[in-house]
Amino acid sequence: MRAAYLIAPGQLELRDERVPGAEPGGVVVRVRVALTDGTDLKAFRRGHPQMPLPTRFGHEFSGDVAALGAGVTAFAPGDPILSVHSAPCGTCYWCRHEEEELCEHVMATKILGAYAEYVAIPPHILNRNAFHKPANVSYESGAFLEPLACVVHSLRLLQLAPDATLGIVGDGGFGILHALVARAFGIAQPVLIGRRNERLALARALGIVRTIDARENDARAAVAAFTGGRGLDAVVESTGTQAVWESAPDLVRRGGTVSLFGGLPGGSRVSFDAARLHYDEVRLISPFHFTPRAVREAFELLAAGAIEVEPLISERFTLERVGEAFASLDAGHGLKYAIVP
Ligand SMILES: [Zn+2]
């Protein structure tokens, strides 16, 4: 089979290798759709501390079960399957305290290699974070399970009241997904703040009626205008840039919460106005990864048809063109691309 490897920043290579075998309790999946995402793009640009090079590449996918390991009874060959690429160990300190996103082993036991014809899912992931694809969910939508799980985890950490005002800064895939999931969770009018007209227009077409183009408007003034001058109950930083991390507290009300979702490169330092945080009780949280609860909830959103995610796919590429796809993303084109092996 062919599998894409990131061999150096900016350099993807397709290699021929043997189709993986299924380990006992695991399965092998014939990949039908894999999606690009911001983490992959960051790794493509500058490498990634969690991905020593060369590495198999890609982690958002859906497909069909091609082979079963010994003892697997929950799936049969040919079954369409949705899965994320990691699962917690279930026994470490964090797992025992329902903070499985911080599991000691979750990063070391994750799988990469979705930009390939086949990918092996080990038992710990199959048992906790994989599902039969419902017939009403397309392979393309189903490949959103993992980014949706990140977003569900992020929004659940905010513990928003039903009437909360929520802003999201960043009009990338994760920013738009935050707005869509927030609405599915009952937040009537999340506001999406971005800098790319075509992406804000896409969000509006998907029902996110409140958008602010930060190139033309002062986001803080625009937010004040529809919150009675108070500011938002919560804001999600989804750009992964230092300037937005530092300015995000300006958008929330006294007692509001800032969620720092978009990670910065290792070693980055940020600064905040201490008086604003203290005397206005502005809380900072920083969600990372997801729990099995979030994966299940993301699956249920997809299965219920509660959110429309396919329009976030800007273009489809064959596996042979995966390098071209990333060069295009690197040049600032497209939102998410589907890689179809
Ligand atoms: Zn654990």
Side-chain angles (χ1 to χ4, degrees):
M1 71 163 191
R2 287 153 310 152
Y5 280 75
L6 183 64
I7 54 174
Q11 225 177 322
L12 280 170
E13 185 176 277
L14 273 184
R15 294 183 179 174
D16 280 312
E17 57 183 37
R18 291 174 67 165
V19 174
E23 65 177 289
V27 298
V28 172
V29 170
R30 172 75 171 96
V31 177
R32 295 288 297 267
V33 173
L35 299 175
T36 65
D37 91 332
T39 305
D40 292 340
L41 180 58
K42 277 195 272 188
F44 176 79
R45 283 176 169 158
R46 60 181 188 229
H48 193 286
Q50 303 284 355
M51 302 183 198
L53 302 182
T55 177
R56 288 165 194 268
F57 204 38
H59 66 279
E60 299 176 2
F61 65 97
S62 64
D64 298 317
V65 173
L68 299 181
V72 174
T73 54
F75 290 90
D79 282 354
I81 184 171
L82 306 183
S83 177
V84 297
H85 70 304
S86 75
C89 74
T91 56
C92 76
Y93 175 88
W94 288 271
C95 283
R96 293 197 313 274
H97 291 79
E98 296 192 348
E99 294 178 346
E100 295 99 331
E101 72 276 20
L102 302 175
C103 169
E104 285 181 56
H105 307 288
V106 72
M107 284 294 118
T109 60
K110 72 182 185 303
I111 53 168
L112 297 173
Y115 307 139
E117 290 174 77
Y118 294 88
V119 64
I121 301 181
H124 73 291
I125 298 176
L126 189 72
N127 293 338
R128 290 193 81 177
N129 282 342
F131 304 86
H132 289 271
K133 183 182 83 62
N136 63 315
V137 176
S138 68
Y139 288 102
E140 289 189 345
S141 296
F144 280 85
L145 182 65
E146 195 269 349
L148 280 172
C150 294
V151 169
V152 166
H153 175 66
S154 165
L155 288 172
R156 287 307 186 202
L157 274 192
L158 277 174
Q159 299 183 302
L160 297 170
D163 65 345
T165 53
L166 172 70
I168 299 114
V169 186
D171 53 16
F174 273 121
I176 296 175
L177 287 178
H178 268 88
L180 294 175
V181 174
R183 227 175 27 137
F185 283 174
I187 304 298
Q189 292 194 327
V191 55
L192 184 68
I193 301 164
R195 308 182 66 84
R196 314 246 321 233
N197 195 37
E198 73 281 8
R199 292 183 178 181
L200 296 174
L202 170 66
R204 285 193 298 275
L206 294 173
I208 308 305
V209 293
R210 275 190 173 148
T211 62
I212 298 172
D213 188 334
R215 289 169 312 175
E216 294 164 4
N217 300 279
D218 175 0
R220 189 179 181 178
V223 159
F226 65 79
T227 55
R230 278 194 309 278
L232 296 159
D233 294 318
V235 68
V236 175
E237 195 296 330
S238 185
T239 70
T241 58
Q242 183 187 346
V244 176
W245 272 56
E246 293 183 336
S247 63
D250 296 342
L251 297 174
V252 297
R253 66 167 170 83
R254 302 182 68 215
T257 305
V258 175
S259 176
L260 301 164
F261 177 83
L264 299 180
S268 303
R269 316 286 295 191
V270 289
S271 68
F272 298 105
D273 177 345
R276 179 83 225 283
L277 298 191
H278 180 74
Y279 292 105
D280 288 344
E281 274 193 356
V282 171
R283 272 173 294 230
L284 305 181
I285 65 170
S286 40
F288 169 69
H289 207 60
F290 47 78
T291 61
R293 292 182 301 286
V295 179
R296 175 160 291 280
E297 207 172 351
F299 171 76
E300 286 164 359
L301 286 172
L302 286 169
I307 45 169
E308 196 185 352
V309 289
E310 266 181 41
L312 271 65
I313 298 175
S314 318
E315 203 175 328
R316 281 98 185 145
F317 289 81
T318 60
L319 183 57
E320 286 71 24
R321 294 175 66 207
V322 64
E324 200 183 316
F326 274 89
S328 170
L329 291 169
D330 188 31
H333 305 301
L335 188 57
K336 281 178 93 70
Y337 291 148
I339 307 298
V340 183

